């Protein structure tokens, strides 16, 4: 496989790039390694990781199931300053058109049409469900800056609201390339059309810990911070950072602080990480448990805070 071409075409900066070659035996290890690394970057919104984890595994698995070749290559690059993540998975196998032609229904489709059709629901050569690239295309409509499928002499390019298939160069096999903005919150289960619980699957694999399964809500406090005095919806990192600076003096002056979310409707993952989970940078989890009690959380807000704390704690351990 011409990895040098892939790097020149899609990753010209040549710094902080991860390259992994995988086969059917190492596929899951590469998947776990890449997602663990991405999870450690708190600038990537957790809801994007929850959806991406499903799509990325499906793309890796497509190489094993559909390419007819034993090896694939995965390349990743995260730019925190630009808030962009680029992921490429490539093989030098039979390509999309030849793979789809194994299904009699698609035997006579052209290469250009095969590339158009492969991101539609339930379009498959018969060896899979035809859902992985469809879910990926839904993810890219939410957070994609650029989405490219290159197979044979044709390339599908999705940018903004535009999708086109052009004749452009030749690649033996298939390239799947995604450039994603990482600062937007999405509904991961909407990406997978609610056919599986992408959120819970990601949390179980990359976030959950035995040390932090539920939030602590009992105990007296010497000070109280009422979030509803500020707003009823909390969604941005900027607001989270601002309120965290208001909380810090309370921990200096008091032994135990109650964080009261009564009347609050929305607590986003990004706000929860910036406002609550970053308190773990000031004190370890066990001390935080002893000094904080939560009140008035609705189930969705509780889940956002819990996941943010779990994610931070796992990386800081």
């Amino acid at each position: 496989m011409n990895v040098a071409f892939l790097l020149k075409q899609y990753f010209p900066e040549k710094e902080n790039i991860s390259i992994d070659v995988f086969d059917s035996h190492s596929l899951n290890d590469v998947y776990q390694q890449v997602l663990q690394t991405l999870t450690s970057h708190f600038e990537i919104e957790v809801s994007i990781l929850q959806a991406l984890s499903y799509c990325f595994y499906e793309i890796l698995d497509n190489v094993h199931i559909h390419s007819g070749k034993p090896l694939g290559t995965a390349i990743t690059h995260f730019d925190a300053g630009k808030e962009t993540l680029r992921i490429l998975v490539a093989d030098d196998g039979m390509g999309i058109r030849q793979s789809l032609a194994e299904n009699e229904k698609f035997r006579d489709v052209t290469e250009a049409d095969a590339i158009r059709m492969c991101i539609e629901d339930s379009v498959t050569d018969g060896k899979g469900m035809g859902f992985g690239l469809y879910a990926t295309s839904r993810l890219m409509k939410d957070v994609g800056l650029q989405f490219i499928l290159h197979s044979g002499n044709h390339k599908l390019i999705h940018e903004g609201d535009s999708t086109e298939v052009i004749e452009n160069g030749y690649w033996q096999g298939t390239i799947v390339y995604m450039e994603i903005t990482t600062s937007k919150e999405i509904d991961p289960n909407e990406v997978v059309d609610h056919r599986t619980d992408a959120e819970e699957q990601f949390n179980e694999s990359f976030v959950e810990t035995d040390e932090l399964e539920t939030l602590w809500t009992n105990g007296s406090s010497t000070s109280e911070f009422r979030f509803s005095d500020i707003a009823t919806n909390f969604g941005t990192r900027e607001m989270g950072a601002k309120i965290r600076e208001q909380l810090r003096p309370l921990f200096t002056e008091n032994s135990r602080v109650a964080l009261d979310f009564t009347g609050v409707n929305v607590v986003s993952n990004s706000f929860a990480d910036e406002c609550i989970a970053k308190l773990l940078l000031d004190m370890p989890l066990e001390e935080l448990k002893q000094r904080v009690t939560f009140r008035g959380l609705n189930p969705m807000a509780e889940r956002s805070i819990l996941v943010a704390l779990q994610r931070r704690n796992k990386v800081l351990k």
Side-chain angles (χ1 to χ4, degrees):
M1 186 182 299
N2 192 348
V3 176
F5 166 80
L6 297 174
L7 292 174
K8 181 179 180 181
Q9 186 78 12
Y10 296 98
F11 302 87
E13 66 285 328
K14 297 184 175 65
E15 293 182 359
N16 301 317
I17 295 169
S18 175
I19 304 173
D20 296 284
V21 177
F22 61 92
D23 60 15
S24 60
H25 301 290
S26 61
L27 184 155
N28 191 63
D29 289 340
V30 168
Y31 166 74
Q32 293 282 335
Q33 176 183 316
V34 170
L35 264 296
Q36 291 282 9
T37 300
L38 295 180
T39 301
S40 69
H41 293 293
F42 298 105
E43 302 90 344
I44 305 177
E45 292 299 335
V46 69
S47 58
I48 292 177
L49 290 172
Q50 289 164 342
L52 178 64
S53 64
Y54 179 89
C55 296
F56 182 56
Y57 185 87
E58 290 294 310
I59 294 169
L60 295 177
D61 202 39
N62 281 348
V63 174
H64 166 55
I65 294 176
H66 304 293
S67 74
K69 287 293 187 74
L71 297 178
T73 299
I75 307 175
T76 56
H77 176 263
F78 173 59
D79 189 323
K82 295 182 179 179
E83 298 182 333
T84 58
L85 169 65
R86 286 178 289 164
I87 296 179
L88 181 146
V89 178
D91 65 71
D92 58 357
M94 69 177 68
I96 292 173
R97 193 211 66 80
Q98 187 176 340
S99 175
L100 275 185
E102 294 186 356
N103 184 335
E104 185 175 353
K105 181 179 178 180
F106 306 117
R107 186 159 298 168
D108 297 323
V109 300
T110 66
E111 185 174 80
D113 285 340
I115 291 177
R116 286 191 188 94
M117 295 168 64
C118 73
I119 62 173
E120 297 175 3
D121 192 9
S122 302
V123 174
T124 176
D125 60 7
K127 300 175 185 175
M129 296 187 299
F131 186 65
L133 284 178
Y134 170 65
T136 302
S137 71
R138 291 170 65 90
L139 171 64
M140 297 306 290
K141 288 177 181 177
D142 280 345
V143 295
L145 299 173
Q146 187 178 60
F147 178 41
I148 294 175
L149 288 177
H150 190 178
S151 184
N153 289 305
H154 288 82
K155 181 184 291 186
L156 180 147
I157 303 174
H158 174 79
E159 291 180 305
D161 296 327
S162 170
T163 302
E164 61 176 344
V165 175
I166 62 173
E167 192 167 353
N168 182 266
Y170 179 77
W171 178 264
Q172 174 63 49
T174 302
I175 298 171
V176 181
Y177 172 76
M178 298 177 283
E179 184 175 355
I180 297 169
T181 182
T182 58
S183 59
K184 180 180 177 182
E185 289 219 32
I186 60 174
D187 182 346
N189 288 334
E190 177 65 25
V191 168
V192 297
D193 204 19
H194 297 279
R195 300 186 198 181
T196 187
D197 194 336
E199 179 179 352
E200 191 62 28
Q201 288 175 10
F202 172 85
N203 292 346
E204 288 179 357
S205 297
F206 301 106
V207 176
E208 301 285 4
T209 70
D210 293 335
E211 295 175 302
L212 185 58
E213 295 179 354
T214 59
L215 291 178
W216 46 100
T217 57
N218 296 319
S220 60
S221 59
T222 55
S223 181
E224 181 180 79
F225 188 93
R226 291 178 57 85
F227 282 80
S228 62
D229 290 342
I230 300 173
T232 56
N233 295 312
F234 295 91
T236 67
R237 284 190 175 274
E238 290 77 12
M239 183 178 286
K242 182 178 179 179
I243 295 178
R244 189 176 76 256
E245 291 307 310
Q246 296 179 44
L247 293 178
R248 277 178 166 156
L250 296 180
F251 288 103
T252 302
E253 299 165 2
N254 301 276
S255 60
R256 191 173 182 89
V257 176
L259 302 182
D260 191 347
F261 286 85
T262 303
V264 172
N265 299 318
V266 176
V267 176
S268 73
N269 282 300
S270 54
F271 175 87
D273 178 60
E274 197 70 36
C275 181
I276 308 298
K278 274 193 174 181
L279 292 172
L280 292 174
L281 301 176
D282 298 333
M283 65 187 86
L285 176 62
E286 288 308 313
E287 181 181 349
L288 193 68
K289 285 182 176 181
Q290 294 300 316
R291 302 190 63 190
V292 173
T293 185
F294 288 92
R295 296 175 182 166
L297 283 167
N298 66 44
M300 293 300 293
E302 180 176 359
R303 188 60 180 162
S304 291
I305 295 173
L306 180 61
V307 169
L309 284 166
Q310 289 169 330
R311 188 180 177 194
R312 281 276 172 186
N313 183 57
K314 188 172 184 178
V315 172
L316 291 173
K317 283 176 61 179

